[in-house]
Amino acid sequence: MSETSAETKHPAHLHHHFVDSDQQFESSKMGMWIFLVTEILFFGGLFAAYIVYRAWYPELYLEASQELDAFWGAINTFVLIGSSLTVAMAIRSAQLNQIRGLIINLWITIGLACTFMVIKYFEYAEKLEKGIAPGIYYTYDGLEHEKANIFFSIYYMMTGLHGLHVIIGIGLMLWLVWKAKRGAYHSEYYTPVEITGLYWHLVDVIWIFLFPLLYLID
Amino acid sequence: MSGHHISSAKFLWGVAIVLFFLTFLTVAVTWIHIPEPWNVVVAIAIAVVKATIVVAFFMNLWWDSRFNTILLVMSIVFFMILIGITLLDTLFRVDPIPTF
C-alpha cells in the first residue's frame, strides 16, 4: 500500500495504535491465547487435586464413578463437540461476509450450550436428591468408601467450574448475536467472533478430558 | 483481510465427525475392560488426540502464528511441572492421608 492519508484509508474498527487490521487481529488473538494459558493453569490446579486423590484412593474413584451416568456424559460430549463445530461455522460465515449464517450458527451454538446445561442440571438434581453433595453436606449412604465425599467434592468443583464457563460462553454469544444484528461484524472485522470461538473450543477441550476422567473409570 | 485461513464447511464437518467417532471409541473401550493402568492410559491418549484435533483445526493453530502454539505448549509444560512436583510430595509421604 502506498502513502495514502490516514483519514481516507482508516477503517472504523481499527484503533489508532495499530498499523493495520491484520496487526490488530493478530494482537487480539495472541492476547486471547495468553488468557487461555491462564485458564489451562486454573483448571490445572483442579486436575492436580484429582490426580493426587486418585493416587491416594484408587478404589474410591472406581466405586464412586459408578454413580455417574456415562450415557449422559457421552451425550453431553457430543453436544459440546457439535457446538464447537457450529462456532467454527459461525467464524467461517463471518469470514465470508455471510452475516445471516453467522447469526444462525451462533443461535445453534447457544441452543447446544443450553442443552448441555439442562442435562447437567438433571444430573446434579438426581445426585443432590440422593444426598450426594460436596464435602460436609454429603449424606448418601449407598457407597461403602468412607471418603466418598472427596470424589464428589472434586466432581462438583471440576464440572461446576466448567459449567460456569459454559454459562459465560452463552452470555458472550448472546452479545455476539446482538452486535452482529447491528452489523458490527463483516469479513474485514470479526475479531470478537474469532476470540469467543477460541474460548468456546477451550471449554470443549476441558470437557474432553473431564468426561473420561470422571465418567469412564471402570 | 488477507492471510486468514478459511476452512471449508466440508473440512469442518470432517473434523467434527472424527471427534464424534473418537468420543464413541473412548466409551467403547470401557466395554472391553482393559486391565488396570492401561485403561487410564488409553482414555487419556484418546482425549489427547481429540484435544489436539480441536486445537489444531478448530482453533486454527495449524495455520496460525507459531508463537501461539508455543504459548499453549508452555502452559502444558508448566502444568506438568505442577503435577510432577506435587506428586513428589504426596506419593512419598510417610503418613500419607490427611484427615479430611
mmCIF file of all heavy atoms in Angstrom, chain A residues 22 25 29 33 37 40 44 53-54 56-57 78 81 85 89 92 95 150 188 190 198 201 213 218, chain B residues 1-2 4-8 12 20 23 30 33 40 59 64 68 71 75 79 90 96-98 100:
data_model
loop_
_atom_site.group_PDB
_atom_site.id
_atom_site.type_symbol
_atom_site.label_atom_id
_atom_site.label_comp_id
_atom_site.label_asym_id
_atom_site.label_seq_id
_atom_site.Cartn_x
_atom_site.Cartn_y
_atom_site.Cartn_z
ATOM 1 N N ASP A 22 -4.797 -6.348 10.201
ATOM 2 C CA ASP A 22 -4.167 -7.643 10.459
ATOM 3 C C ASP A 22 -3.386 -7.632 11.764
ATOM 4 O O ASP A 22 -3.472 -8.562 12.557
ATOM 5 C CB ASP A 22 -3.234 -8.016 9.302
ATOM 6 C CG ASP A 22 -3.954 -8.849 8.261
ATOM 7 O OD1 ASP A 22 -5.046 -9.360 8.584
ATOM 8 O OD2 ASP A 22 -3.424 -8.978 7.143
ATOM 9 N N PHE A 25 -5.813 -7.677 14.614
ATOM 10 C CA PHE A 25 -6.406 -9.014 14.748
ATOM 11 C C PHE A 25 -5.438 -9.974 15.425
ATOM 12 O O PHE A 25 -5.788 -10.675 16.387
ATOM 13 C CB PHE A 25 -6.798 -9.516 13.350
ATOM 14 C CG PHE A 25 -7.400 -10.885 13.326
ATOM 15 C CD1 PHE A 25 -8.719 -11.081 13.689
ATOM 16 C CD2 PHE A 25 -6.652 -11.978 12.912
ATOM 17 C CE1 PHE A 25 -9.296 -12.348 13.656
ATOM 18 C CE2 PHE A 25 -7.217 -13.247 12.870
ATOM 19 C CZ PHE A 25 -8.539 -13.430 13.244
ATOM 20 N N LYS A 29 -5.747 -11.877 19.078
ATOM 21 C CA LYS A 29 -5.723 -13.340 19.143
ATOM 22 C C LYS A 29 -4.628 -13.806 20.094
ATOM 23 O O LYS A 29 -4.844 -14.726 20.893
ATOM 24 C CB LYS A 29 -5.514 -13.907 17.738
ATOM 25 C CG LYS A 29 -6.000 -15.314 17.603
ATOM 26 C CD LYS A 29 -6.205 -15.719 16.166
ATOM 27 C CE LYS A 29 -4.929 -15.606 15.393
ATOM 28 N NZ LYS A 29 -5.067 -16.066 14.008
ATOM 29 N N TRP A 33 -4.922 -16.062 23.508
ATOM 30 C CA TRP A 33 -4.150 -17.272 23.802
ATOM 31 C C TRP A 33 -3.474 -17.161 25.161
ATOM 32 O O TRP A 33 -3.395 -18.145 25.913
ATOM 33 C CB TRP A 33 -3.135 -17.563 22.690
ATOM 34 C CG TRP A 33 -3.739 -18.385 21.600
ATOM 35 C CD1 TRP A 33 -4.111 -17.974 20.353
ATOM 36 C CD2 TRP A 33 -4.082 -19.776 21.670
ATOM 37 N NE1 TRP A 33 -4.668 -19.012 19.648
ATOM 38 C CE2 TRP A 33 -4.664 -20.136 20.419
ATOM 39 C CE3 TRP A 33 -3.966 -20.760 22.653
ATOM 40 C CZ2 TRP A 33 -5.119 -21.427 20.140
ATOM 41 C CZ3 TRP A 33 -4.422 -22.044 22.377
ATOM 42 C CH2 TRP A 33 -4.982 -22.366 21.140
ATOM 43 N N VAL A 37 -3.979 -19.653 28.335
ATOM 44 C CA VAL A 37 -2.903 -20.257 29.133
ATOM 45 C C VAL A 37 -3.258 -20.171 30.619
ATOM 46 O O VAL A 37 -3.141 -21.155 31.363
ATOM 47 C CB VAL A 37 -1.551 -19.552 28.850
ATOM 48 C CG1 VAL A 37 -0.518 -19.921 29.897
ATOM 49 C CG2 VAL A 37 -1.053 -19.914 27.462
ATOM 50 N N ILE A 40 -5.920 -22.715 31.392
ATOM 51 C CA ILE A 40 -5.408 -24.084 31.471
ATOM 52 C C ILE A 40 -4.778 -24.317 32.849
ATOM 53 O O ILE A 40 -4.992 -25.348 33.483
ATOM 54 C CB ILE A 40 -4.394 -24.352 30.333
ATOM 55 C CG1 ILE A 40 -5.134 -24.430 28.987
ATOM 56 C CG2 ILE A 40 -3.615 -25.645 30.578
ATOM 57 C CD1 ILE A 40 -4.235 -24.337 27.777
ATOM 58 N N GLY A 44 -5.863 -26.539 35.724
ATOM 59 C CA GLY A 44 -4.744 -27.424 36.057
ATOM 60 C C GLY A 44 -4.662 -27.707 37.545
ATOM 61 O O GLY A 44 -4.362 -28.831 37.954
ATOM 62 N N TYR A 53 -5.560 -37.169 44.665
ATOM 63 C CA TYR A 53 -6.521 -38.002 45.392
ATOM 64 C C TYR A 53 -6.738 -39.344 44.715
ATOM 65 O O TYR A 53 -7.001 -40.340 45.382
ATOM 66 C CB TYR A 53 -7.841 -37.254 45.601
ATOM 67 C CG TYR A 53 -7.750 -36.333 46.795
ATOM 68 C CD1 TYR A 53 -7.388 -35.002 46.637
ATOM 69 C CD2 TYR A 53 -7.971 -36.821 48.084
ATOM 70 C CE1 TYR A 53 -7.259 -34.168 47.725
ATOM 71 C CE2 TYR A 53 -7.840 -35.994 49.184
ATOM 72 C CZ TYR A 53 -7.490 -34.665 49.001
ATOM 73 O OH TYR A 53 -7.344 -33.849 50.083
ATOM 74 N N ARG A 54 -6.616 -39.365 43.376
ATOM 75 C CA ARG A 54 -6.768 -40.660 42.708
ATOM 76 C C ARG A 54 -5.609 -41.581 43.064
ATOM 77 O O ARG A 54 -5.785 -42.793 43.218
ATOM 78 C CB ARG A 54 -6.863 -40.474 41.189
ATOM 79 C CG ARG A 54 -7.168 -41.776 40.494
ATOM 80 C CD ARG A 54 -7.790 -41.631 39.152
ATOM 81 N NE ARG A 54 -8.029 -42.958 38.593
ATOM 82 C CZ ARG A 54 -8.545 -43.169 37.395
ATOM 83 N NH1 ARG A 54 -8.873 -42.163 36.636
ATOM 84 N NH2 ARG A 54 -8.738 -44.397 36.958
ATOM 85 N N TRP A 56 -4.065 -41.508 45.906
ATOM 86 C CA TRP A 56 -4.278 -41.917 47.289
ATOM 87 C C TRP A 56 -5.401 -42.943 47.437
ATOM 88 O O TRP A 56 -5.328 -43.867 48.219
ATOM 89 C CB TRP A 56 -4.626 -40.678 48.149
ATOM 90 C CG TRP A 56 -3.428 -39.946 48.657
ATOM 91 C CD1 TRP A 56 -2.155 -40.414 48.778
ATOM 92 C CD2 TRP A 56 -3.401 -38.595 49.133
ATOM 93 N NE1 TRP A 56 -1.335 -39.440 49.290
ATOM 94 C CE2 TRP A 56 -2.081 -38.327 49.515
ATOM 95 C CE3 TRP A 56 -4.372 -37.600 49.267
ATOM 96 C CZ2 TRP A 56 -1.695 -37.088 50.041
ATOM 97 C CZ3 TRP A 56 -3.988 -36.377 49.782
ATOM 98 C CH2 TRP A 56 -2.662 -36.133 50.158
ATOM 99 N N TYR A 57 -6.489 -42.746 46.698
ATOM 100 C CA TYR A 57 -7.682 -43.599 46.841
ATOM 101 C C TYR A 57 -8.150 -44.156 45.491
ATOM 102 O O TYR A 57 -9.240 -43.824 45.031
ATOM 103 C CB TYR A 57 -8.859 -42.812 47.431
ATOM 104 C CG TYR A 57 -8.608 -42.067 48.710
ATOM 105 C CD1 TYR A 57 -8.559 -40.676 48.713
ATOM 106 C CD2 TYR A 57 -8.481 -42.755 49.916
ATOM 107 C CE1 TYR A 57 -8.364 -39.986 49.900
ATOM 108 C CE2 TYR A 57 -8.288 -42.068 51.098
ATOM 109 C CZ TYR A 57 -8.223 -40.681 51.087
ATOM 110 O OH TYR A 57 -8.039 -40.001 52.248
ATOM 111 N N PHE A 78 -20.975 -35.193 22.933
ATOM 112 C CA PHE A 78 -21.439 -34.979 21.546
ATOM 113 C C PHE A 78 -22.005 -33.569 21.390
ATOM 114 O O PHE A 78 -21.750 -32.896 20.393
ATOM 115 C CB PHE A 78 -22.498 -36.019 21.163
ATOM 116 C CG PHE A 78 -21.933 -37.380 20.882
ATOM 117 C CD1 PHE A 78 -22.245 -38.477 21.684
ATOM 118 C CD2 PHE A 78 -21.074 -37.575 19.808
ATOM 119 C CE1 PHE A 78 -21.714 -39.732 21.424
ATOM 120 C CE2 PHE A 78 -20.542 -38.841 19.540
ATOM 121 C CZ PHE A 78 -20.863 -39.916 20.354
ATOM 122 N N ILE A 81 -19.098 -31.025 21.305
ATOM 123 C CA ILE A 81 -18.337 -31.096 20.053
ATOM 124 C C ILE A 81 -19.168 -30.493 18.924
ATOM 125 O O ILE A 81 -18.655 -29.733 18.086
ATOM 126 C CB ILE A 81 -17.899 -32.540 19.738
ATOM 127 C CG1 ILE A 81 -16.843 -32.988 20.755
ATOM 128 C CG2 ILE A 81 -17.343 -32.654 18.322
ATOM 129 C CD1 ILE A 81 -16.490 -34.454 20.686
ATOM 130 N N LEU A 85 -18.311 -27.274 16.462
ATOM 131 C CA LEU A 85 -18.470 -27.243 15.001
ATOM 132 C C LEU A 85 -19.240 -25.997 14.577
ATOM 133 O O LEU A 85 -18.829 -25.287 13.654
ATOM 134 C CB LEU A 85 -19.199 -28.511 14.533
ATOM 135 C CG LEU A 85 -19.632 -28.526 13.065
ATOM 136 C CD1 LEU A 85 -18.428 -28.519 12.129
ATOM 137 C CD2 LEU A 85 -20.515 -29.737 12.762
ATOM 138 N N MET A 89 -18.221 -22.880 12.238
ATOM 139 C CA MET A 89 -19.028 -22.478 11.080
ATOM 140 C C MET A 89 -19.418 -21.002 11.168
ATOM 141 O O MET A 89 -19.488 -20.315 10.138
ATOM 142 C CB MET A 89 -20.297 -23.343 11.006
ATOM 143 C CG MET A 89 -20.032 -24.796 10.721
ATOM 144 S SD MET A 89 -19.340 -25.059 9.099
ATOM 145 C CE MET A 89 -20.679 -25.901 8.325
ATOM 146 N N ARG A 92 -16.466 -19.074 10.040
ATOM 147 C CA ARG A 92 -16.377 -19.192 8.579
ATOM 148 C C ARG A 92 -17.379 -18.259 7.893
ATOM 149 O O ARG A 92 -17.054 -17.580 6.922
ATOM 150 C CB ARG A 92 -16.638 -20.652 8.185
ATOM 151 C CG ARG A 92 -16.612 -20.919 6.715
ATOM 152 C CD ARG A 92 -16.966 -22.362 6.399
ATOM 153 N NE ARG A 92 -17.711 -22.419 5.136
ATOM 154 C CZ ARG A 92 -17.131 -22.287 3.953
ATOM 155 N NH1 ARG A 92 -15.828 -22.119 3.859
ATOM 156 N NH2 ARG A 92 -17.866 -22.326 2.859
ATOM 157 N N GLN A 95 -16.140 -14.759 8.053
ATOM 158 C CA GLN A 95 -15.023 -14.564 7.115
ATOM 159 C C GLN A 95 -15.532 -14.383 5.691
ATOM 160 O O GLN A 95 -14.917 -13.684 4.883
ATOM 161 C CB GLN A 95 -14.080 -15.770 7.168
ATOM 162 C CG GLN A 95 -13.236 -15.815 8.437
ATOM 163 C CD GLN A 95 -12.502 -17.134 8.576
ATOM 164 O OE1 GLN A 95 -12.975 -18.186 8.170
ATOM 165 N NE2 GLN A 95 -11.318 -17.082 9.189
ATOM 166 N N ILE A 150 -15.077 -37.068 49.061
ATOM 167 C CA ILE A 150 -13.940 -36.410 48.394
ATOM 168 C C ILE A 150 -14.081 -36.485 46.880
ATOM 169 O O ILE A 150 -13.897 -35.491 46.180
ATOM 170 C CB ILE A 150 -12.605 -37.040 48.849
ATOM 171 C CG1 ILE A 150 -12.317 -36.591 50.280
ATOM 172 C CG2 ILE A 150 -11.466 -36.644 47.917
ATOM 173 C CD1 ILE A 150 -11.059 -37.170 50.860
ATOM 174 N N GLU A 188 -14.038 -8.085 7.025
ATOM 175 C CA GLU A 188 -12.828 -7.328 7.372
ATOM 176 C C GLU A 188 -12.626 -7.215 8.873
ATOM 177 O O GLU A 188 -11.542 -6.908 9.353
ATOM 178 C CB GLU A 188 -12.901 -5.920 6.770
ATOM 179 C CG GLU A 188 -12.940 -5.886 5.261
ATOM 180 C CD GLU A 188 -11.663 -6.434 4.639
ATOM 181 O OE1 GLU A 188 -10.571 -5.925 4.984
ATOM 182 O OE2 GLU A 188 -11.753 -7.370 3.835
ATOM 183 N N TYR A 190 -14.000 -9.305 12.367
ATOM 184 C CA TYR A 190 -14.830 -10.269 13.097
ATOM 185 C C TYR A 190 -14.071 -10.770 14.327
ATOM 186 O O TYR A 190 -14.320 -11.866 14.815
ATOM 187 C CB TYR A 190 -15.236 -11.433 12.177
ATOM 188 C CG TYR A 190 -14.058 -12.183 11.595
ATOM 189 C CD1 TYR A 190 -13.525 -13.297 12.248
ATOM 190 C CD2 TYR A 190 -13.455 -11.765 10.422
ATOM 191 C CE1 TYR A 190 -12.434 -13.969 11.743
ATOM 192 C CE2 TYR A 190 -12.358 -12.428 9.907
ATOM 193 C CZ TYR A 190 -11.859 -13.532 10.575
ATOM 194 O OH TYR A 190 -10.767 -14.190 10.082
ATOM 195 N N LEU A 198 -12.337 -19.160 20.163
ATOM 196 C CA LEU A 198 -11.187 -19.779 20.833
ATOM 197 C C LEU A 198 -11.561 -20.184 22.266
ATOM 198 O O LEU A 198 -11.261 -21.279 22.716
ATOM 199 C CB LEU A 198 -9.996 -18.811 20.865
ATOM 200 C CG LEU A 198 -9.272 -18.574 19.533
ATOM 201 C CD1 LEU A 198 -8.161 -17.553 19.720
ATOM 202 C CD2 LEU A 198 -8.695 -19.870 18.995
ATOM 203 N N HIS A 201 -13.890 -23.257 22.204
ATOM 204 C CA HIS A 201 -13.182 -24.505 21.904
ATOM 205 C C HIS A 201 -12.402 -24.979 23.119
ATOM 206 O O HIS A 201 -12.301 -26.181 23.372
ATOM 207 C CB HIS A 201 -12.238 -24.326 20.712
ATOM 208 C CG HIS A 201 -12.945 -24.069 19.422
ATOM 209 N ND1 HIS A 201 -13.992 -24.840 18.983
ATOM 210 C CD2 HIS A 201 -12.770 -23.116 18.475
ATOM 211 C CE1 HIS A 201 -14.426 -24.379 17.818
ATOM 212 N NE2 HIS A 201 -13.699 -23.318 17.496
ATOM 213 N N LEU A 213 -12.222 -38.887 32.543
ATOM 214 C CA LEU A 213 -11.621 -38.937 33.883
ATOM 215 C C LEU A 213 -12.670 -39.099 34.976
ATOM 216 O O LEU A 213 -12.389 -39.682 36.028
ATOM 217 C CB LEU A 213 -10.793 -37.685 34.149
ATOM 218 C CG LEU A 213 -9.463 -37.600 33.396
ATOM 219 C CD1 LEU A 213 -8.768 -36.282 33.669
ATOM 220 C CD2 LEU A 213 -8.553 -38.760 33.774
ATOM 221 N N ASP A 218 -13.557 -47.481 35.051
ATOM 222 C CA ASP A 218 -14.387 -48.705 35.043
ATOM 223 C C ASP A 218 -13.639 -49.930 35.539
ATOM 224 O O ASP A 218 -12.477 -50.019 35.512
ATOM 225 C CB ASP A 218 -14.915 -48.920 33.632
ATOM 226 C CG ASP A 218 -16.068 -49.886 33.626
ATOM 227 O OD1 ASP A 218 -16.773 -49.944 34.639
ATOM 228 O OD2 ASP A 218 -16.243 -50.564 32.630
ATOM 229 N N MET B 1 -9.712 -9.121 4.486
ATOM 230 C CA MET B 1 -8.362 -9.238 5.047
ATOM 231 C C MET B 1 -7.617 -10.401 4.403
ATOM 232 O O MET B 1 -8.195 -11.456 4.176
ATOM 233 C CB MET B 1 -8.455 -9.469 6.547
ATOM 234 C CG MET B 1 -7.971 -8.286 7.344
ATOM 235 S SD MET B 1 -8.015 -8.652 9.072
ATOM 236 C CE MET B 1 -9.752 -8.519 9.424
ATOM 237 N N SER B 2 -6.371 -10.234 4.151
ATOM 238 C CA SER B 2 -5.582 -11.302 3.540
ATOM 239 C C SER B 2 -4.954 -12.172 4.614
ATOM 240 O O SER B 2 -4.835 -11.769 5.760
ATOM 241 C CB SER B 2 -4.480 -10.677 2.683
ATOM 242 O OG SER B 2 -3.671 -9.867 3.507
ATOM 243 N N HIS B 4 -5.900 -14.783 6.278
ATOM 244 C CA HIS B 4 -6.666 -15.563 7.246
ATOM 245 C C HIS B 4 -7.065 -16.885 6.630
ATOM 246 O O HIS B 4 -7.568 -16.925 5.509
ATOM 247 C CB HIS B 4 -7.922 -14.811 7.677
ATOM 248 C CG HIS B 4 -7.618 -13.647 8.546
ATOM 249 N ND1 HIS B 4 -8.549 -13.040 9.325
ATOM 250 C CD2 HIS B 4 -6.469 -12.995 8.766
ATOM 251 C CE1 HIS B 4 -7.990 -12.047 9.985
ATOM 252 N NE2 HIS B 4 -6.723 -12.003 9.646
ATOM 253 N N HIS B 5 -6.845 -17.938 7.399
ATOM 254 C CA HIS B 5 -7.238 -19.238 6.885
ATOM 255 C C HIS B 5 -8.746 -19.404 6.993
ATOM 256 O O HIS B 5 -9.320 -19.216 8.047
ATOM 257 C CB HIS B 5 -6.536 -20.350 7.654
ATOM 258 C CG HIS B 5 -6.954 -21.692 7.176
ATOM 259 N ND1 HIS B 5 -6.407 -22.269 6.056
ATOM 260 C CD2 HIS B 5 -7.915 -22.541 7.610
ATOM 261 C CE1 HIS B 5 -6.993 -23.423 5.835
ATOM 262 N NE2 HIS B 5 -7.915 -23.614 6.752
ATOM 263 N N ILE B 6 -9.405 -19.761 5.896
ATOM 264 C CA ILE B 6 -10.836 -20.053 5.914
ATOM 265 C C ILE B 6 -11.007 -21.538 5.603
ATOM 266 O O ILE B 6 -10.690 -21.995 4.505
ATOM 267 C CB ILE B 6 -11.613 -19.196 4.886
ATOM 268 C CG1 ILE B 6 -11.348 -17.709 5.158
ATOM 269 C CG2 ILE B 6 -13.099 -19.514 4.933
ATOM 270 C CD1 ILE B 6 -12.001 -16.768 4.160
ATOM 271 N N SER B 7 -11.502 -22.293 6.609
ATOM 272 C CA SER B 7 -11.722 -23.724 6.399
ATOM 273 C C SER B 7 -13.020 -23.925 5.629
ATOM 274 O O SER B 7 -13.987 -23.196 5.836
ATOM 275 C CB SER B 7 -11.826 -24.441 7.744
ATOM 276 O OG SER B 7 -10.633 -24.303 8.463
ATOM 277 N N SER B 8 -13.031 -24.942 4.752
ATOM 278 C CA SER B 8 -14.277 -25.230 4.039
ATOM 279 C C SER B 8 -15.260 -25.914 4.988
ATOM 280 O O SER B 8 -14.859 -26.535 5.978
ATOM 281 C CB SER B 8 -13.997 -26.135 2.843
ATOM 282 O OG SER B 8 -13.695 -27.437 3.286
ATOM 283 N N LEU B 12 -14.633 -28.748 8.093
ATOM 284 C CA LEU B 12 -15.059 -28.606 9.486
ATOM 285 C C LEU B 12 -15.963 -29.766 9.903
ATOM 286 O O LEU B 12 -15.827 -30.305 11.010
ATOM 287 C CB LEU B 12 -15.777 -27.264 9.679
ATOM 288 C CG LEU B 12 -14.898 -26.018 9.515
ATOM 289 C CD1 LEU B 12 -15.751 -24.754 9.574
ATOM 290 C CD2 LEU B 12 -13.813 -25.966 10.587
ATOM 291 N N PHE B 20 -16.508 -37.043 16.861
ATOM 292 C CA PHE B 20 -17.646 -37.878 17.290
ATOM 293 C C PHE B 20 -17.214 -39.338 17.366
ATOM 294 O O PHE B 20 -17.522 -40.044 18.325
ATOM 295 C CB PHE B 20 -18.823 -37.741 16.303
ATOM 296 C CG PHE B 20 -19.556 -36.431 16.406
ATOM 297 C CD1 PHE B 20 -20.047 -35.808 15.270
ATOM 298 C CD2 PHE B 20 -19.774 -35.821 17.639
ATOM 299 C CE1 PHE B 20 -20.733 -34.600 15.352
ATOM 300 C CE2 PHE B 20 -20.456 -34.614 17.721
ATOM 301 C CZ PHE B 20 -20.940 -34.006 16.582
ATOM 302 N N THR B 23 -15.095 -39.971 20.385
ATOM 303 C CA THR B 23 -15.918 -39.991 21.595
ATOM 304 C C THR B 23 -16.574 -41.357 21.754
ATOM 305 O O THR B 23 -16.574 -41.938 22.841
ATOM 306 C CB THR B 23 -16.998 -38.891 21.532
ATOM 307 O OG1 THR B 23 -16.357 -37.644 21.330
ATOM 308 C CG2 THR B 23 -17.820 -38.853 22.808
ATOM 309 N N THR B 30 -14.289 -48.921 27.154
ATOM 310 C CA THR B 30 -14.621 -49.324 28.535
ATOM 311 C C THR B 30 -15.442 -50.611 28.547
ATOM 312 O O THR B 30 -15.523 -51.273 29.567
ATOM 313 C CB THR B 30 -15.400 -48.223 29.273
ATOM 314 O OG1 THR B 30 -16.662 -48.028 28.626
ATOM 315 C CG2 THR B 30 -14.644 -46.916 29.295
ATOM 316 N N HIS B 33 -13.110 -53.813 28.995
ATOM 317 C CA HIS B 33 -12.363 -53.936 30.255
ATOM 318 C C HIS B 33 -10.866 -54.185 30.091
ATOM 319 O O HIS B 33 -10.354 -55.280 30.350
ATOM 320 C CB HIS B 33 -12.993 -55.030 31.136
ATOM 321 C CG HIS B 33 -14.341 -54.642 31.611
ATOM 322 N ND1 HIS B 33 -14.541 -53.781 32.673
ATOM 323 C CD2 HIS B 33 -15.572 -54.965 31.156
ATOM 324 C CE1 HIS B 33 -15.831 -53.592 32.840
ATOM 325 N NE2 HIS B 33 -16.496 -54.293 31.939
ATOM 326 N N VAL B 40 -6.650 -46.307 31.902
ATOM 327 C CA VAL B 40 -6.443 -44.859 32.066
ATOM 328 C C VAL B 40 -5.568 -44.329 30.934
ATOM 329 O O VAL B 40 -5.855 -43.271 30.357
ATOM 330 C CB VAL B 40 -5.779 -44.545 33.434
ATOM 331 C CG1 VAL B 40 -5.722 -43.047 33.650
ATOM 332 C CG2 VAL B 40 -6.540 -45.222 34.557
ATOM 333 N N MET B 59 -9.313 -24.451 16.476
ATOM 334 C CA MET B 59 -8.698 -23.224 16.982
ATOM 335 C C MET B 59 -7.621 -22.711 16.030
ATOM 336 O O MET B 59 -6.954 -21.716 16.324
ATOM 337 C CB MET B 59 -8.137 -23.460 18.388
ATOM 338 C CG MET B 59 -9.207 -23.859 19.392
ATOM 339 S SD MET B 59 -8.575 -24.452 20.971
ATOM 340 C CE MET B 59 -8.460 -22.918 21.874
ATOM 341 N N ASP B 64 -1.809 -20.985 12.185
ATOM 342 C CA ASP B 64 -1.609 -19.748 12.924
ATOM 343 C C ASP B 64 -0.122 -19.481 13.167
ATOM 344 O O ASP B 64 0.731 -20.299 12.838
ATOM 345 C CB ASP B 64 -2.349 -19.881 14.276
ATOM 346 C CG ASP B 64 -2.727 -18.527 14.831
ATOM 347 O OD1 ASP B 64 -2.315 -17.517 14.257
ATOM 348 O OD2 ASP B 64 -3.425 -18.500 15.847
ATOM 349 N N ASN B 68 1.691 -18.627 19.095
ATOM 350 C CA ASN B 68 0.524 -19.070 19.854
ATOM 351 C C ASN B 68 0.635 -20.542 20.234
ATOM 352 O O ASN B 68 0.197 -20.943 21.316
ATOM 353 C CB ASN B 68 -0.756 -18.805 19.053
ATOM 354 C CG ASN B 68 -1.020 -17.316 18.909
ATOM 355 O OD1 ASN B 68 -0.510 -16.517 19.687
ATOM 356 N ND2 ASN B 68 -1.784 -16.948 17.897
ATOM 357 N N LEU B 71 2.879 -20.727 23.190
ATOM 358 C CA LEU B 71 2.152 -20.372 24.415
ATOM 359 C C LEU B 71 1.410 -21.585 24.966
ATOM 360 O O LEU B 71 1.495 -21.894 26.159
ATOM 361 C CB LEU B 71 1.142 -19.249 24.124
ATOM 362 C CG LEU B 71 1.680 -17.840 23.934
ATOM 363 C CD1 LEU B 71 0.547 -16.907 23.518
ATOM 364 C CD2 LEU B 71 2.317 -17.325 25.216
ATOM 365 N N SER B 75 2.093 -23.728 28.490
ATOM 366 C CA SER B 75 1.103 -23.930 29.557
ATOM 367 C C SER B 75 1.050 -25.404 29.953
ATOM 368 O O SER B 75 0.910 -25.730 31.135
ATOM 369 C CB SER B 75 -0.275 -23.420 29.116
ATOM 370 O OG SER B 75 -0.903 -24.335 28.258
ATOM 371 N N PHE B 79 1.979 -27.022 33.553
ATOM 372 C CA PHE B 79 1.002 -27.910 34.192
ATOM 373 C C PHE B 79 1.681 -29.211 34.628
ATOM 374 O O PHE B 79 1.490 -29.684 35.750
ATOM 375 C CB PHE B 79 -0.151 -28.186 33.219
ATOM 376 C CG PHE B 79 -1.122 -29.222 33.709
ATOM 377 C CD1 PHE B 79 -1.855 -29.019 34.872
ATOM 378 C CD2 PHE B 79 -1.304 -30.402 33.001
ATOM 379 C CE1 PHE B 79 -2.749 -29.976 35.330
ATOM 380 C CE2 PHE B 79 -2.200 -31.361 33.456
ATOM 381 C CZ PHE B 79 -2.913 -31.152 34.618
ATOM 382 N N THR B 90 3.184 -35.819 47.551
ATOM 383 C CA THR B 90 2.049 -36.613 48.030
ATOM 384 C C THR B 90 2.251 -38.121 47.872
ATOM 385 O O THR B 90 1.694 -38.892 48.644
ATOM 386 C CB THR B 90 0.751 -36.198 47.304
ATOM 387 O OG1 THR B 90 0.905 -36.444 45.919
ATOM 388 C CG2 THR B 90 0.427 -34.734 47.542
ATOM 389 N N PRO B 96 0.496 -40.661 54.808
ATOM 390 C CA PRO B 96 0.079 -40.023 53.571
ATOM 391 C C PRO B 96 -1.232 -39.255 53.614
ATOM 392 O O PRO B 96 -1.364 -38.224 52.972
ATOM 393 C CB PRO B 96 -0.033 -41.198 52.594
ATOM 394 C CG PRO B 96 -0.242 -42.392 53.439
ATOM 395 C CD PRO B 96 0.378 -42.121 54.761
ATOM 396 N N ILE B 97 -2.218 -39.770 54.337
ATOM 397 C CA ILE B 97 -3.577 -39.313 54.101
ATOM 398 C C ILE B 97 -3.972 -38.210 55.081
ATOM 399 O O ILE B 97 -3.926 -38.404 56.293
ATOM 400 C CB ILE B 97 -4.573 -40.487 54.239
ATOM 401 C CG1 ILE B 97 -4.066 -41.722 53.491
ATOM 402 C CG2 ILE B 97 -5.946 -40.069 53.762
ATOM 403 C CD1 ILE B 97 -3.997 -41.607 52.004
ATOM 404 N N PRO B 98 -4.390 -37.059 54.591
ATOM 405 C CA PRO B 98 -4.890 -36.038 55.511
ATOM 406 C C PRO B 98 -6.211 -36.474 56.133
ATOM 407 O O PRO B 98 -6.857 -37.395 55.652
ATOM 408 C CB PRO B 98 -5.081 -34.815 54.617
ATOM 409 C CG PRO B 98 -5.248 -35.357 53.247
ATOM 410 C CD PRO B 98 -4.466 -36.624 53.193
ATOM 411 N N PHE B 100 -9.135 -35.075 56.289
ATOM 412 C CA PHE B 100 -10.419 -34.779 55.653
ATOM 413 C C PHE B 100 -10.637 -35.667 54.438
ATOM 414 O O PHE B 100 -9.704 -36.272 53.931
ATOM 415 C CB PHE B 100 -10.502 -33.293 55.253
ATOM 416 C CG PHE B 100 -9.346 -32.811 54.434
ATOM 417 C CD1 PHE B 100 -9.336 -32.975 53.060
ATOM 418 C CD2 PHE B 100 -8.250 -32.220 55.057
ATOM 419 C CE1 PHE B 100 -8.260 -32.545 52.314
ATOM 420 C CE2 PHE B 100 -7.184 -31.790 54.296
ATOM 421 C CZ PHE B 100 -7.186 -31.958 52.927
#
